Every structure is written in C-alpha cells, then in structure tokens.
C-alpha cells in the first residue's frame, strides 16, 4: 500500500533508492518490506527491479536487492523442517496460512 502522505513521490523514492553508490557499483542494498510497500508499493518496486535486471530476495521482512545481473547461488541450504518444528504462528513469515480443516 502506497503512502499518499509521503513528501516523496514513488518515482522520486525509487530514483533515490537506485541512485545510491552501492547500486552504481553493482552491490547489494537492503530495505524493509514495510517501507517499500508504504512509499512506492510492492508491484511498482518489483517492476523496477525487473526492468533493471536485478534480483530481490526476502527474509524476515527485509528485502535484499542484488544490484547486478549475476546469477544467485546459495552456498548453504537450510535443513528441511516440519510444520511441527515451525509451529503455526511462524507460517505468517512465509506468506501462507495453515489450514486446520482435517
């Protein structure tokens, strides 16, 4: 959801984000998902990331933006976990809901 009370337009916010030094050097930047949703909206943000050929990953409400076109490769893989180990309250972190109808 975009914040219409922000002094920055979504276009200015995106321009500021993608004009920082780390972006120019092909580095990695991090932003809170909440801020992206508030200031520009997730759809517009992802369109701009895709337009630039960048990659974005999310973990615990943080967006990691890889400001280059290099492929991503995980060096570690998380061990598989069961829903009993996660617990029902953690499913919100994965953007899914737990259906208890059996």
């Amino acid at each position: 959801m975009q914040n219409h009370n922000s002094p920055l337009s979504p276009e200015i916010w995106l321009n500021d984000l993608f004009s920082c030094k780390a972006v120019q050097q092909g580095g990695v930047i991090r932003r809170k998902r909440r801020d992206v949703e508030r200031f520009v909206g997730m759809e517009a943000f992802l369109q701009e990331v895709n337009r630039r050929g960048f990659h974005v990953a999310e973990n615990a409400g943080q967006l990691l933006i890889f400001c280059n076109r290099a492929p991503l490769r995980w060096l570690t893989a998380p061990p598989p976990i069961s829903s009993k180990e996660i617990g029902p309250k953690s499913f919100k972190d994965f953007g899914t809901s737990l259906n208890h109808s059996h």
Side-chain angles (χ1 to χ4, degrees):
M1 172 186 297
Q2 181 185 333
N3 182 357
H4 296 287
N5 296 323
S6 172
L8 298 177
S9 71
E11 294 79 17
I12 292 173
W13 192 91
L14 283 171
N15 186 57
D16 286 350
L17 173 68
F18 289 114
S19 63
C20 73
K21 189 175 183 178
V23 174
Q24 304 307 316
Q25 295 176 343
V28 178
I29 55 176
R30 176 177 57 97
R31 292 295 181 273
K32 291 181 182 180
R33 179 185 181 104
R34 159 188 91 194
D35 291 343
V36 169
E37 290 172 341
R38 180 181 307 152
F39 295 118
V40 71
M42 189 57 70
E43 185 177 338
F45 169 74
L46 291 175
Q47 285 177 354
E48 183 62 19
V49 168
N50 287 328
R51 187 184 74 77
R52 293 170 177 268
F54 295 168
H55 305 286
V56 63
E58 181 177 4
N59 179 267
Q62 296 288 317
L63 301 176
L64 298 172
I65 305 132
F66 299 87
C67 302
N68 58 63
R69 294 176 181 226
L72 298 177
R73 183 171 59 105
W74 292 107
L75 298 180
T76 60
I81 55 177
S82 71
S83 61
K84 288 182 181 180
E85 292 171 314
I86 295 172
K89 292 181 182 176
S90 297
F91 279 101
K92 67 180 184 197
D93 296 331
F94 300 103
T96 61
S97 62
L98 184 60
N99 185 352
H100 286 292
S101 60
H102 297 292

